[in-house]
Every structure is written in C-alpha cells, then in structure tokens.
Amino acid sequence: MDFISTDWRADAEHILPDLIDLRRAIHAEPELGLQNPKTLAKIKAALAGLPLELREGPSTTGLIATLKGPANGRNVLLRGDMDALPLHEDTGLEYSSLTDGAMHACGHDTHVAMLVGAAKMLCAKREQLAGTVQFMFQPGEEGHHGARFMLDDGLIDPLPDAAFALHIMPNAPRGVFSGRSGPLLASSDVLTIAVKGAGGHASMPHDAIDPIPVACEIVSAIQTMVTRKISVFNPAVITIAKISAGTTNNIIPETAHLLGTIRTLSPQSRARVAEELHRLVPGIAAAHGCSAQVHIEQGFPVTVCDDRAVQFGKSVVEDMFGPESWITLDTPIMGAEDFAYVLEKVPGAMFFLGASHEGDDWRTCCGLHSNRMVLDDSVMAKGAALHAAIAERFLADGFAS
C-alpha cells in the first residue's frame, strides 16, 4: 500500500477498516496457549508481500517479523500477544467466538491487529527508517510464558536496543494512553497448600483431626502475615481463591487443599512472601496435629518499565495526540504480564490504551477477563499509529527525544 502522508495518524485511519476486519476474524476463532496456528495464519496472510524477514521457533507459534531499513542503526522491538482466555463468550457480538470455551477477553486480538497495522505502515516508509524494527507476535501470554519461550528459542536475536508493547484497557478513558516508570505490573505466582489431618466420622471430631478448620485458620493467618511481615511500601497481595475438601456431609476428610495467587512488586517481596509462607503454614498445621505442604509455582516476574522509555513514549503520545491523551499512573496494577521477560533483558515500556466505547462510563463497563467485555475497534488506529511513531522516532533519535 502506498502512503503519501507522513502523518502516522492519517495512515492508520486509512487502514483502520482492514485492522477491524483482521481483529474480528481473530476474535471469532480464538486459540489458547502456546499453539495458535489459525491466528498465525491470519497474521502471515495480512503481512504477505511486505519486505519482512519471518522467523519462527520450535516451542510456540510465535513469529518475529523483521523490517530492515537502509541504515544499519538501532534496533527496536514492538510486541503484540495473540492468545485467548478459557471462558465462554457472552457478548452477543456478530463476530463472537465460534470456539467453545475460548474468548478474546483480554484484547489480544486488538494487539495483533494494531501491530500488523504498524508493520504495514512502517514497511511503506522503509526507506526513511534509520534502523531495524522487530515485530513480535507472541502466543501463550495468558499464563503460558510465551515470551520466555520465544527468548529461549533465540527468536529475538540480536536483542533490540529497546522494546515497547501496547495493552488495551476497557476500564480507561477512550483513546487515552497511560503508563508509569518502574513497576507497572506485579509478579504472579501460584500458591498451593495441602493440609493433612486424620479422617473420621463427622459426629465424632474428637476422634479425628479435621483439616478444614485448620485450613480456614491458615487463610486468615496469611492475611495477617501480609500486613505484619511485608512492607506497605513494597506490597504483596495473596488471595486464596479456592478451598476444597471432603466428599459428603458426615465424613471428616483427611486433607484440605487451598489454591491461590501471590502478587508482588519486587524480587525482595516475592522472596520474603515465600519464606514466610513456608514458615507460617506448617507451623499452624503442626499446632493442631496436622501437617502441611506449601508449593509455589513461579509465574511472570514484575513488569518494570524503564524511565527513559516511559518519558520517550509520553513525549511521542503528546506530540501526536496532545497532552490530554496521556495519563501517568500513580500506582502499579497488580495484574501480571509476560512482556516482563523481555523488559528484564532490554530497556522498554508497556503502555495502556483506553478502549471503552464513546459515551460509555469507562469506570463501570465490563473489564479485562470478563466474558462480556467489548471494545471500541476505532481506537486501534491510535494504537497502530503510536507503534509506528515510536519505532520511527526511536530509530532516529533513541531515547534522546
């Protein structure tokens, strides 16, 4: 496609209908986990004919599409994730999911479409680029460590000089970008606890060791532990989301199981929480004659945004869309993101883009991971334009601008 305008906003509006078609096609056929072959095929079809070098790895259906400008300068990476969530869609949209038990409820369909749009626009201006752009289409973000697998597979080689990602946010003002320096999103670990007692008849608890009240005591004690062992200035959130035990009304079970999540904003808090849990839980169990096992499965690390990258992105947003289109977040969000793996290796940032419908109250609309979440497709033009502008300006000036 021939772009005669040097205004990324105009270029993005020009191709917006194509981005909407792509987003809706991906939305209708969501895929889970590390293998997203249908989505990958749609991406490749959208990129066909562009001057891109494509690279795939053995562990996932992830794709790195590389655009090399005429100058051997800086290297910048732009990332869009592509997997869906395991839930039933209930939006009533004409392009609703056709796959039982899968839905794009986190906006990854829009992330792919915006990144494809940026690739098309940047390819059209290839001769003006002062370096290399890597477009990272990544599966397995929803808990499957897709970014880590793509790094381990050597797909992001050489490492870029900077990396940027966009994430839509339905509960945010429409068309407004936001971000912050330092921790943006939390680490995410899975906590599993098994409390073992001695089963028996429900009418004679004195002849058994009931693990259920012990498990309940552990839940309460964990919350006290967080408030008394973890600094409020380096916080943690521990939520026990599932308790399971027993089979019927008149049997005291032998075991009770707890399942939850741990969110922290630093490696120090993450380590301290694990240390305290391994001390607290067995101690409470032992006090009641039970035993307990604690297992922590480490998930994504903390998403830490480089201050230079955040200020750079803020500058690009304000230059393109005006100061009213940027919000600096006061606090991190305790959700998690595996773009954190990339930001552990190179400086960069993730930004949010408000995608509520015009006229809707963004404070009350259905949020991320809701089976009723809907988005305003038109904001994708802003996202694609920002991707392209960030790449062009970083290749030309680095963080200096």
Side-chain angles (χ1 to χ4, degrees), residues 331-384:
T331 62
I333 296 172
M334 298 307 283
E337 242 292 342
D338 79 342
F339 188 57
Y341 289 117
V342 177
L343 296 184
E344 282 186 325
K345 295 184 177 296
V346 297
M350 169 176 278
F351 305 123
F352 298 120
L353 170 59
S356 57
H357 280 274
E358 188 169 7
D360 287 354
D361 184 352
W362 56 266
R363 299 171 184 85
T364 59
C365 65
C366 293
L368 297 176
H369 291 216
S370 166
N371 64 332
R372 298 178 186 272
M373 187 195 77
V374 293
L375 304 170
D376 186 341
D377 286 330
S378 68
V379 302
M380 292 193 296
K382 275 194 165 184

Side-chain angles (χ1 to χ4, degrees), residues 169-170 172-178 317 321-322 324-327 352-358 362 376 378-380 382-383 386:
M169 189 68 72
R174 177 181 178 274
V176 175
F177 296 92
S178 58
V317 168
F321 304 110
E324 69 279 3
S325 291
W326 174 267
I327 295 174
F352 298 120
L353 170 59
S356 57
H357 280 274
E358 188 169 7
W362 56 266
D376 186 341
S378 68
V379 302
M380 292 193 296
K382 275 194 165 184
L386 182 66

